[in-house]
Amino acid sequence: MTALTPPPEGLLVPPGHGRTVRTPAQHVTFKVTGTHSRAASSFEVVVPPGFDVGAHVHSRSEELFYVLEGELDVLAFEPLVRTPDNWQRWQSGSGNQVVRATPGTVIVVPPGCPHAFANPTGNPAKMFFQASPPPDHERYFEELLKILDAGGPPDHTAIEELRSRYDIEQLTPLKHR
């Protein structure tokens, strides 16, 4: 007699659940990890006032952002010129510009597309974020938040080294208050 394999079960993560990593720069709650999905890692991210992830690009990763609360300035295009500062002024050859994303806005970023987000407002913003393939962004967030939790201005050398290990080419600096 052959043993029956139980049917697979899904994952249910109630509101307020998931492992959360907190620093003055970001609060990241891991909702779905590579343990549960072959397709993508999923996170809920609280973006505090003044945080700017900096423009960057991935050669392999695809990302999806869904703004839940607040407002974020968002970039998701190749600019005419990749200036090393102030991505908020970038424009694409087709006329795209940085937009103010409000609740309900979805941003999809394919591999090779420069992108960024920043919270220029005085209130926190919250977004749902997916990164594919897992688990690179899980490991990246864990290591990045340790660097940012050290206090003081971000250690840009440590962040640059970290990002190079996780398929992230930084185009403008990460900033936070």
Side-chain angles (χ1 to χ4, degrees):
M1 183 177 246
T2 51
L4 294 176
T5 303
E9 293 186 5
L11 173 70
L12 179 97
V13 183
H17 287 75
R19 185 169 63 89
T20 300
V21 182
R22 299 177 190 266
T23 72
Q26 280 185 313
H27 297 175
V28 177
T29 301
F30 292 56
K31 294 294 189 175
V32 180
T33 65
T35 303
H36 298 98
S37 173
R38 292 174 292 164
S41 301
S42 300
F43 312 90
E44 186 177 86
V45 180
V46 176
V47 184
F51 182 81
D52 177 350
V53 73
H56 59 282
V57 65
H58 310 283
S59 63
R60 297 180 308 275
S61 295
E62 179 173 281
E63 297 177 332
L64 178 139
F65 302 89
Y66 183 87
V67 179
L68 299 168
E69 298 173 8
E71 298 179 354
L72 296 170
D73 285 347
V74 178
L75 162 83
F77 58 80
E78 181 65 54
L80 288 168
V81 179
R82 289 184 179 184
T83 57
D85 60 350
N86 203 353
W87 57 264
Q88 287 90 343
R89 293 193 180 129
W90 288 4
Q91 293 186 13
S92 75
S94 63
N96 285 330
Q97 298 179 336
V98 170
V99 299
R100 179 67 52 97
T102 56
T105 302
V106 173
I107 303 99
V108 177
V109 182
C113 178
H115 57 287
F117 63 85
N119 183 350
T121 74
N123 298 309
K126 185 186 290 185
M127 66 179 171
F128 179 77
F129 167 61
Q130 281 192 320
S132 176
D136 282 358
H137 267 76
E138 298 162 38
R139 294 177 183 148
Y140 169 73
F141 273 137
E142 289 171 341
E143 292 183 43
L144 174 64
L145 294 175
K146 284 179 187 174
I147 292 169
L148 296 177
D149 203 24
D155 180 344
H156 293 292
T157 302
I159 292 170
E160 184 177 325
E161 191 278 326
L162 172 68
R163 288 181 167 209
S164 70
R165 287 190 286 121
Y166 287 103
D167 183 35
I168 303 169
E169 178 188 351
Q170 192 68 32
L171 305 175
T172 66
L174 179 146
K175 302 173 190 169
H176 75 94
R177 291 184 197 155

